């Protein structure tokens, strides 16, 4: 056993390093930070024990490193379905937004977001989640920005339409008999307008 230990240890250490690199590509630093760090530490400890000629301890530590790396990898792989779902959802949202009346700049931003989604999907298929995640985040940010802008325009249009209805009601009733209910509506519309000007679109739509 003593004569075969160096080779067995080298083989197990090589396996541990491979799975560690695979987990790194799967974004283990973010998705499985604890196991990933432990695997890295175990690899370093194995190298040190080998250098000190403590071959049995090195072999045991290399097995531990490989096991930790596999755990990190499995934790990351479990996140992949959700990432693919996020990409599909964003593509649908991009299609919906493209059907709206958008500015040229917004169309370009959506085109870039769609391209990033495609790139991210291809990277995930290659188990390169680490490079895919920033692309997904970038796309999400662009889509949300345009969704908010579209919602803001829609809300502004709705407020303008409601103001016309209120004005028509005032004329119909006469300003003296407009009543408190109309004043409340006007105050609410003014508040909604103010919130939109502060980019508080969600609150304005309430």
């Amino acid at each position: 056993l003593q004569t075969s230990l160096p080779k067995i240890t080298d083989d197990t250490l090589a396996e541990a390093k491979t799975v560690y690199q695979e987990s790194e590509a799967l974004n283990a630093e973010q998705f499985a930070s604890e196991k990933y760090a432990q695997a890295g530490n175990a690899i370093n400890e194995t190298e040190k024990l080998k250098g000190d000629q403590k071959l049995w301890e090195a072999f045991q530590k290399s097995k531990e490193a490989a096991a930790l790396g596999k755990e990190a990898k499995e934790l990351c792989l479990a996140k992949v379905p959700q990432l693919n779902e996020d990409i599909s959802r964003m593509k649908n949202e991009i299609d919906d937004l493209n059907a709206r009346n958008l500015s040229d700049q917004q169309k370009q931003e959506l085109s870039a977001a769609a391209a990033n989604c495609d790139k991210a999907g291809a990277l995930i298929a290659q188990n390169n989640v680490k490079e895919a995640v920033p692309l997904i985040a970038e796309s999400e940010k662009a889509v949300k920005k345009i969704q908010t802008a579209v919602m803001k325009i829609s809300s502004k249009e709705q407020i303008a339409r409601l103001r016309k209805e209120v004005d028509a009601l005032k004329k119909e009733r006469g300003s003296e008999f407009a009543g408190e209910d109309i004043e409340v509506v006007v105050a609410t519309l003014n508040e909604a307008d103010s919130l939109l000007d502060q980019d508080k679109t969600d609150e304005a739509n309430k």
Side-chain angles (χ1 to χ4, degrees):
L1 180 63
Q2 193 68 26
T3 53
S4 60
L5 259 182
K7 185 178 185 316
I8 296 170
T9 304
D10 285 344
D11 289 347
T12 314
L13 181 57
E15 181 194 348
K17 285 180 176 178
T18 298
V19 79
Y20 181 77
Q21 287 166 353
E22 287 170 351
S23 69
E24 182 183 6
L26 285 163
N27 205 36
E29 201 168 351
Q30 183 182 344
F31 292 158
S33 56
E34 188 178 343
K35 295 294 180 187
Y36 176 71
Q38 287 173 349
N41 289 337
I43 287 170
N44 291 336
E45 285 176 44
T46 303
E47 299 275 20
K48 185 177 184 306
L49 288 165
K50 264 183 69 185
D52 294 343
Q53 291 299 305
K54 295 178 179 176
L55 295 180
W56 178 249
E57 292 90 335
F59 171 59
Q60 294 298 324
K61 188 56 74 173
S62 67
K63 285 203 298 182
E64 183 187 326
L68 287 164
K70 282 174 187 172
E71 283 186 66
K73 183 179 174 180
E74 290 303 317
L75 286 169
C76 295
L77 286 171
K79 302 273 188 184
V80 167
Q82 184 59 55
L83 292 174
N84 284 324
E85 277 181 36
D86 289 344
I87 291 170
S88 295
R89 172 182 51 77
M90 270 192 289
K91 283 184 174 180
N92 290 334
E93 289 173 353
I94 288 166
D95 287 342
D96 289 343
L97 286 168
N98 274 322
R100 305 291 188 108
N101 187 20
L102 302 176
S103 68
D104 288 341
Q105 185 184 340
Q106 286 173 327
K107 286 176 185 174
Q108 286 171 8
E109 287 174 4
L110 277 184
S111 178
N116 278 342
C117 283
D118 289 338
K119 279 184 206 167
L123 286 165
I124 288 170
Q126 296 162 18
N127 279 347
N128 189 351
V129 176
K130 188 175 182 178
E131 287 184 34
V133 166
L135 293 174
I136 293 170
E138 201 176 316
S139 296
E140 187 106 46
K141 188 178 175 184
V143 168
K144 280 186 177 171
K145 177 186 159 192
I146 295 168
Q147 279 176 331
T148 301
V150 167
M151 200 186 297
K152 185 175 179 179
I153 291 167
S154 174
S155 299
K156 283 277 189 186
E157 288 171 352
Q158 194 175 350
I159 289 169
R161 189 172 67 251
L162 288 169
R163 283 193 191 282
K164 281 183 183 176
E165 289 175 15
V166 168
D167 287 342
L169 199 56
K170 272 186 181 178
K171 283 177 187 172
E172 186 185 311
R173 290 189 185 182
S175 57
E176 290 177 32
F177 305 102
E180 285 185 22
D181 52 343
I182 288 181
E183 294 306 321
V184 170
V185 171
V186 170
T188 304
L189 292 174
N190 289 341
E191 185 185 355
D193 242 340
S194 173
L195 287 167
L196 286 172
D197 289 338
Q198 297 169 54
D199 287 329
K200 295 178 180 176
T201 308
D202 288 337
E203 290 178 46
N205 284 323
K206 291 176 184 175

